[in-house]
Amino acid sequence: MTDPQTQRPTEELLRLYRQMLLIRRCEEQLAKSHQRGLVHGACHTYVGQEAIAVGVCSHLRREDVVFSTHRGHGHALAKGVPPVQLIAELYGRATGCSQGRGGSMHLFSPEVGMMGTSGIVGPCILQATGAGYSFRLLKQDHVAVAFFGDGAVNNAAFHEGLNLAAIWKLPVLFVCENNQFATEVPFAYAAGNPSVAARGATYGMPGIELDGNDVVAIRAAAGEAVARARSGGGPTLFECKTYRTRPHAEGMGDYTYRTREDVENWKTKCPIDRLRKAFSANLAPLDAIDAEVQREIEAAQREAEASAWPDPATATTHIYAEARRPAPPPPADSGRDISYSQATLEALGAEMAANPAIFVLGEGIGVRGGNFKTTAGLYDKFGPERLRDTPICERGFVGLGGGAAMTGTRPVIDFMFADFVLDGVGEIVNQIAKMQYMSSGRLKMPILLRGCIGIGHSAATHHSGNYYPMYAHFPGLHVVIPSTPYDAKGLLHHALRCDDPVMFLEPREILSLTGPVPEAPYEIPFGQAAVVNTGTDVTVVAIGRMVRKVFDVIADLGREGISVELIDPRTVAPLDTETIGASVAKTGRLLIVDEAFGLYGIGAEIAAQIADRFFDELDAPIKRLNGLHTPTPYSPPLEAAVVPNADAIARAIRDLLAE
């Protein structure tokens, strides 16, 4: 630990000591700031665990990436976030590392490879796995690190992430900081297997148990694991046994679930004191570091407190990526008829040929070509790294896709049925949809999530869902529902060129529908509705499969003298209310036809927006026709009873005209 000739600590050990002390003093300052009211929300300190972040990050390059958990201050500082930016973030200031958007639990600094911390347990594991996939696909020798607590090892993300990293030998280091408690639940109670490290063998990777307060031992082990990852040897799992000597969060009670004696005992094992005692014969260099670090933290605190608040006008910026240059207008129909499925396959194949960063994950999408032939023939063209069959672990590969999108690739997540991806909805809503916003636009999220929706094939309630109203509710997501082969191709091209997350939901019952589709690539921008049929008496807005059903009754109604204008929104987020409103101004009447439930649905949103902005143009109340508010039954007569049919649509139009 010291130079045997001078009895002085080596430069490397001094760096480790300084970094640990910097974290400790910064955390102590933040604890004081919390007491003063300068920290406006939670404050989860890293006191007692400094050796882990410092030992691991001492081997990381700037381009290596770290994904962390709610107790992430130490990881941010060890990866290179300046203390002033960390303190300013907890103060809610514009100069914070997340520009005041994150606070204690949401720290972003992609400039130094700090890809974010999360208030949700487990996503960091999946995101680091996704970064590892990016590095492998892009042939980079970078490494991804996930830091997480012992509570995360009993979460599905742990199993799914480690399994995916292991089977694909990804360059990831999984670091469990076992500080004995998940919030207030003892690990001894929560885990049937008391050894986290032993679980590594379950996944076919090294699992190494370390003294989490021994920075020298951690640095040595991390050096081997990082080198192994860089060379293609695959992932490693660390279990670093340690202890947090402050409460779960500042201001919380601490002695209802553990004893004061235990805390005091662990304080005697302080990683900083341990290193200091090893230098007891020559403390002068350490004393100099102590004074220097104290000055740095005091200066950082003063600067952070004096920093400006964020401008309230920026509260809604960076929800979506900046719009690219407008695409040229899509070409007219070419006369070449292909199916909906063929149209999307053509678009995906063309984009994969043009962009080597695109890859597809899903069950059976490789050699088999997908349950609905969404990737048929692409495996032979692009190979197994870009057409990757996955285990059945929707949360796992959705979360992996999020991490990959953050680190330079463009994943396509094929989840087959929209019902299945509900297992990964937390990754979509809490992580993927919010990442650009929380990072103030410094991270992009170019990910496409696609799957089938809709009723009509006796698949019952777990293969027939329509979930677009739920996804459309959340800022950060685009939600696309094409109804024709032409639209499906153009919208998919656009989705694979934008930098936002896109939910691309395909009505299963029209996958075989044929129509004219140009051969050349073209884009249809989001938020531009299509006027499918022009008319003068009534406007009907229909979504997904209902577009075809409405279109099929228009001719019959025409023979009755009823002229219907049919609008297909094509995307429900963003929603083109201008086109709908212009139509209502012409017809004076609006009917919304949607297979999804009426309660709290897209139809209600369309009705509210039109009533708010175009009320004076209406000659009758807005009406809605929806699927029944029930789970989808199996038997064909029961199934048919819960979806609007041609007779119901025609009757609703006639009734509206009679108002």
Side-chain angles (χ1 to χ4, degrees):
M1 299 188 63
T2 58
D3 184 321
Q5 295 185 355
T6 64
Q7 295 301 304
R8 289 176 57 84
T10 64
E11 290 300 315
E12 179 56 37
L13 289 174
L14 288 174
R15 280 194 293 271
L16 296 176
Y17 177 82
R18 187 189 192 285
Q19 195 65 49
M20 287 195 295
L21 190 68
L22 185 76
I23 295 171
R24 175 68 59 86
R25 296 291 178 258
C26 188
E27 296 291 60
E28 290 170 345
Q29 179 60 62
L30 286 169
K32 295 175 185 175
S33 297
H34 185 271
Q35 294 170 0
R36 291 179 55 200
L38 289 169
V39 177
H40 309 283
C43 180
H44 300 83
T45 68
Y46 197 66
V47 172
Q49 302 179 204
E50 296 88 351
I52 304 169
V54 170
V56 170
C57 291
S58 66
H59 288 286
L60 301 183
R61 307 168 184 162
R62 190 178 184 88
E63 59 269 21
D64 296 325
V65 293
V66 164
F67 299 82
S68 178
T69 184
H70 60 275
R71 196 174 307 283
H73 303 174
H75 311 135
L77 293 168
K79 191 61 175 73
V81 175
V84 65
Q85 291 186 13
L86 177 67
I87 297 171
E89 183 58 37
L90 271 79
Y91 288 3
R93 306 307 171 96
T95 55
C97 59
S98 300
Q99 298 180 19
R101 293 185 169 190
S104 179
M105 293 187 283
H106 307 282
L107 307 173
F108 289 87
S109 186
E111 299 82 3
V112 298
M114 186 66 196
M115 306 303 283
T117 64
S118 173
I120 308 296
V121 170
C124 59
I125 298 172
L126 304 175
Q127 291 161 358
T129 304
Y133 201 95
S134 284
F135 299 154
R136 174 168 173 169
L137 184 65
L138 299 174
K139 303 297 185 285
Q140 298 168 332
D141 70 342
H142 307 337
V143 174
V145 178
F147 289 102
F148 50 93
D150 50 276
V153 307
N154 299 320
N155 188 284
F158 177 84
H159 164 68
E160 296 183 24
L162 267 67
N163 188 53
L164 291 171
I167 61 176
W168 297 330
K169 294 191 179 302
L170 302 180
V172 186
L173 176 55
F174 299 103
V175 182
C176 173
E177 300 178 317
N178 186 349
N179 63 18
Q180 319 299 315
F181 294 93
T183 306
E184 298 174 354
V185 178
F187 184 68
Y189 165 82
N193 177 357
S195 173
V196 175
R199 301 186 195 188
T202 305
Y203 303 102
M205 70 176 70
I208 302 169
E209 182 179 307
L210 294 163
D211 180 345
N213 289 13
D214 186 344
V215 69
V216 174
I218 294 169
R219 173 172 161 74
E224 295 179 7
V226 169
R228 180 173 180 269
R230 289 199 202 284
S231 65
T236 302
L237 170 64
F238 282 0
E239 178 186 11
C240 300
K241 291 194 169 183
T242 185
Y243 202 84
R244 54 172 172 80
T245 55
R246 294 193 68 86
H248 170 69
E250 294 302 305
M252 291 182 65
D254 204 32
Y255 298 117
T256 57
Y257 61 95
R258 62 182 186 173
T259 67
R260 192 178 301 274
E261 290 74 22
D262 282 343
V263 175
E264 293 303 318
N265 178 55
W266 272 94
K267 286 181 179 179
T268 66
K269 303 174 185 179
C270 169
I272 298 171
D273 289 348
R274 178 184 295 193
L275 199 55
R276 190 174 179 88
K277 288 174 183 175
F279 303 146
S280 57
N282 191 348
L283 293 176
L286 279 66
D287 291 340
I289 290 173
D290 291 357
E292 176 192 345
V293 167
Q294 188 62 37
R295 289 192 298 270
E296 181 177 352
I297 296 301
E298 289 174 356
Q301 192 283 326
R302 289 192 298 270
E303 182 178 343
E305 189 172 357
S307 295
W309 295 100
D311 181 350
T314 67
T316 58
T317 60
H318 302 300
I319 298 172
Y320 299 96
E322 292 184 9
R324 296 181 297 110
R325 186 176 57 190
D333 297 346
S334 66
R336 180 190 69 140
D337 282 5
I338 61 174
S339 72
Y340 188 116
S341 291
Q342 289 172 312
T344 56
L345 179 62
E346 198 167 83
L348 178 59
E351 292 297 330
M352 291 188 73
N355 184 355
I358 296 176
F359 68 96
V360 186
L361 294 180
E363 295 149 11
I365 54 85
V367 174
R368 183 166 173 254
N371 203 46
F372 302 112
K373 304 303 178 187
T374 51
T375 55
L378 299 183
Y379 183 90
D380 292 337
K381 292 181 181 179
F382 301 111
E385 283 198 339
R386 298 186 65 194
L387 274 297
R388 181 69 78 177
D389 283 326
T390 68
I392 298 175
C393 58
E394 276 75 11
R395 182 183 179 187
F397 59 73
V398 169
L400 183 156
M406 295 161 66
T407 50
T409 53
R410 183 180 289 273
V412 176
I413 307 300
D414 189 324
F415 45 78
M416 198 182 307
F417 288 96
D419 312 73
F420 296 172
V421 82
L422 293 178
D423 284 352
V425 74
E427 300 303 321
I428 297 171
V429 170
N430 275 322
Q431 306 297 324
I432 288 170
K434 298 176 181 176
M435 199 61 67
Q436 293 189 117
Y437 180 81
M438 295 302 292
S439 69
S440 296
R442 292 172 293 166
L443 291 173
K444 303 302 179 187
M445 187 51 67
I447 182 172
L448 174 68
L449 302 116
R450 70 182 299 197
C452 285
I453 58 173
I455 301 172
H457 39 276
S458 289
T461 196
H462 289 162
H463 295 71
S464 305
N466 289 291
Y467 300 103
Y468 41 86
M470 175 180 73
Y471 295 114
H473 178 73
F474 295 104
L477 296 176
H478 293 304
V479 184
V480 180
I481 310 166
S483 69
T484 68
Y486 179 88
D487 288 351
K489 179 175 177 177
L491 290 164
L492 192 63
H493 273 297
H494 188 69
L496 289 169
R497 296 175 184 178
C498 80
D499 286 328
D500 293 314
V502 178
M503 297 291 297
F504 197 89
L505 303 175
E506 303 162 84
R508 178 181 171 181
E509 291 304 298
I510 61 174
L511 294 183
S512 60
L513 177 71
T514 60
V517 179
E519 285 191 50
Y522 59 93
E523 292 185 58
I524 297 176
F526 300 152
Q528 294 186 8
V531 180
V532 180
N533 193 75
T534 58
T536 57
D537 294 332
V538 60
T539 298
V540 178
V541 174
I543 297 171
R545 183 166 69 119
M546 294 295 105
V547 175
R548 174 56 53 181
K549 284 189 171 290
V550 173
F551 188 81
D552 288 343
V553 305
I554 287 177
D556 289 339
L557 291 171
R559 284 188 282 272
E560 300 175 23
I562 299 173
S563 176
V564 177
E565 181 141 300
L566 175 58
I567 308 293
D568 176 4
R570 301 198 284 204
T571 65
V572 295
L575 183 65
D576 181 2
T577 53
E578 294 297 332
T579 296
I580 299 170
S583 178
V584 168
K586 178 170 60 172
T587 67
R589 286 171 168 80
L590 173 61
L591 172 69
I592 304 152
V593 183
D594 186 5
E595 181 179 302
F597 309 136
L599 293 176
Y600 323 113
I602 295 299
E605 180 62 26
I606 294 172
Q609 291 201 34
I610 296 302
D612 184 51
R613 299 180 54 198
F614 299 94
F615 181 80
D616 291 341
E617 310 293 346
L618 290 165
D619 297 327
I622 298 170
K623 297 295 184 180
R624 292 181 288 156
L625 180 63
N626 287 85
L628 299 184
H629 195 234
T630 178
T632 306
Y634 163 74
S635 177
L638 293 175
E639 183 184 52
V642 304
V643 185
N645 58 27
D647 288 343
I649 293 168
R651 185 167 56 252
I653 292 172
R654 293 188 191 102
D655 290 347
L656 180 56
L657 285 170
E659 289 276 349

